[in-house]
Amino acid sequence: MNKAFNLMQFFSFALSKHYIPYNAKFLGSTEVEQPKGTEVVRDAVRKLKFARHIKKSEGQKTPKVELQISIYGVKILDPKTKEVQHNCQLHRISFCADDKTDKRIFTFICKDSESNKHLCYVFDSEKCAEEITLTIGQAFDLAYRKFLESGGKDVETRKQIAGLQKRIQELETENIELKNKVQDLENQLRINQIHTSPAGSVTPKSPSTDIFDMVPFSPISPQSSTPTRNGTQPPPVPSRSAEIKRDLFGAEPFDPFSCGAGDFPPDIQSKLDEMQEGFKMGLTLEGTVFCLDPLDSRC
């Protein structure tokens, strides 16, 4: 009893700080209609086993993979190159089961992040199926506890960062558009000056005016006391009011501390809702019998 308890403590520590690796053979994945259910995974296992037998008869070997299980999900990697083939987040995994008659076969159902379809992944784990299933279940439990303890602060921080990044991109786009408009105005002004000047000569600009024929602003001498070249006074500078807070482009500055939950992008909010919904649905662990057909389960 103490040995099993110490092993569980070790797994908890490893899952929280790092990950637990397992080697397995990947029979493949297939779409299923439901996120849970013994019959659902049984049909998927039978289907993938049959497809694997056909490939084996054609001389194809079952690919080996490395599973890295942590509180962040289950990664399926190439054991040599360490390239990630699939990354299944824990809150998307809804069902996990191992075969009680064949200690090597285990499977889990995960909702795909792009298509939102439920996919069933099937593995041959060299008689470690039950241990891997329990490890995934414990990782799910630890991840859910961490989510509850943090009160979603980690996700909320990511939401704020995403909101800031989106606002920065919008300001950069506006800045580029304004620069292009200024450049167009400068080009148009040069063309007008050339057309209005006598033939063969270009009127030099006075060093006291800028390219828009305006007197540069000086904090020492007020603008209202210096007329421009055309004899008109420049427009008065609007007084700065404490009530009107606007940035260089005339927009209200973005303040991340005064933003409510509804100010964040809808896609970020939907991810948070989905994560919370996935954890609330829970992960079902089940030991069942998959080998209901006469086919040899060895791949």
Side-chain angles (χ1 to χ4, degrees):
M1 182 71 179
N2 291 334
K3 184 178 180 180
F5 179 74
N6 292 334
L7 184 62
M8 294 295 287
Q9 279 189 325
F10 169 77
F11 278 1
S12 297
F13 177 81
L15 290 169
S16 300
K17 302 298 181 182
H18 198 48
Y19 60 84
I20 299 179
Y22 291 97
N23 293 320
K25 292 181 180 179
F26 186 30
L27 273 65
S29 63
T30 183
E31 182 182 352
V32 292
E33 296 297 329
Q34 301 295 330
K36 297 176 183 286
T38 302
E39 290 297 329
V40 175
V41 295
R42 182 179 290 133
D43 292 341
V45 170
R46 184 184 292 112
K47 176 181 178 181
L48 290 173
K49 275 188 175 183
F50 182 76
R52 182 52 55 185
H53 275 282
I54 294 178
K55 291 182 179 180
K56 185 179 179 181
S57 65
E58 296 174 351
Q60 299 183 26
K61 294 183 178 181
T62 305
K64 296 180 180 181
V65 295
E66 177 182 334
L67 300 176
Q68 293 183 356
I69 303 174
S70 69
I71 61 174
Y72 300 103
V74 179
K75 288 185 178 180
I76 305 173
L77 304 90
D78 184 288
K80 295 182 179 179
T81 64
K82 301 300 180 182
E83 179 183 357
V84 179
Q85 300 176 354
H86 303 277
N87 187 10
C88 304
Q89 297 173 313
L90 283 181
H91 68 276
R92 291 180 172 273
I93 299 178
S94 55
F95 190 86
C96 187
D98 58 276
D99 191 342
K100 293 306 179 184
T101 60
D102 187 345
K103 299 296 184 181
R104 302 174 307 170
I105 303 298
F106 83 96
T107 178
F108 62 82
I109 297 176
C110 180
K111 189 176 182 180
D112 185 69
S113 59
E114 296 182 358
S115 64
N116 282 331
K117 296 179 180 179
H118 297 286
L119 301 178
C120 183
Y121 296 80
V122 182
F123 302 87
D124 183 333
S125 59
E126 296 296 333
K127 299 184 180 181
C128 295
E130 184 177 6
E131 180 181 331
I132 296 176
T133 301
L134 293 175
T135 303
I136 294 176
Q138 189 172 11
F140 186 94
D141 183 60
L142 290 173
Y144 188 36
R145 289 181 184 179
K146 180 178 176 64
F147 181 78
L148 293 178
E149 289 172 359
S150 65
K153 290 179 181 178
D154 293 341
V155 180
E156 194 69 24
T157 300
R158 293 173 186 171
K159 284 172 58 181
Q160 292 184 7
I161 292 175
L164 287 170
Q165 290 176 343
K166 183 175 181 180
R167 180 58 178 163
I168 290 173
Q169 291 177 353
E170 292 174 352
L171 289 175
E172 288 178 348
T173 302
E174 292 177 4
N175 189 27
I176 293 174
E177 293 176 354
L178 288 172
K179 285 183 178 180
N180 292 335
K181 290 180 180 180
V182 170
Q183 185 64 40
D184 293 340
L185 289 173
E186 289 180 350
N187 295 336
Q188 187 64 35
L189 184 60
R190 291 193 186 98
I191 294 174
N192 293 338
Q193 287 178 344
I194 293 175
H195 289 170
T196 56
S197 300
S201 64
V202 178
T203 304
K205 296 191 300 291
S206 171
S208 62
T209 60
D210 59 14
I211 193 169
F212 297 107
D213 204 19
M214 301 291 292
V215 178
F217 174 75
S218 173
I220 301 175
S221 59
Q223 271 190 309
S224 58
S225 61
T226 307
T228 57
R229 287 178 55 189
N230 54 16
T232 60
Q233 293 291 339
V237 179
S239 59
R240 294 180 177 268
S241 174
E243 298 178 357
I244 303 176
K245 296 181 179 180
R246 297 186 179 276
D247 58 16
L248 180 62
F249 306 111
E252 295 183 5
F254 178 70
D255 185 359
F257 301 103
S258 63
C259 289
D263 295 326
F264 292 106
D267 55 339
I268 301 298
Q269 183 64 42
S270 64
K271 289 181 180 178
L272 175 62
D273 296 339
E274 177 205 349
M275 188 172 182
Q276 192 170 8
E277 180 182 354
F279 278 128
K280 284 185 176 181
M281 178 185 292
L283 172 63
T284 302
L285 299 181
E286 188 170 329
T288 185
V289 178
F290 298 141
C291 302
L292 301 181
D293 49 50
L295 290 176
D296 181 13
S297 63
R298 299 181 179 275
C299 301

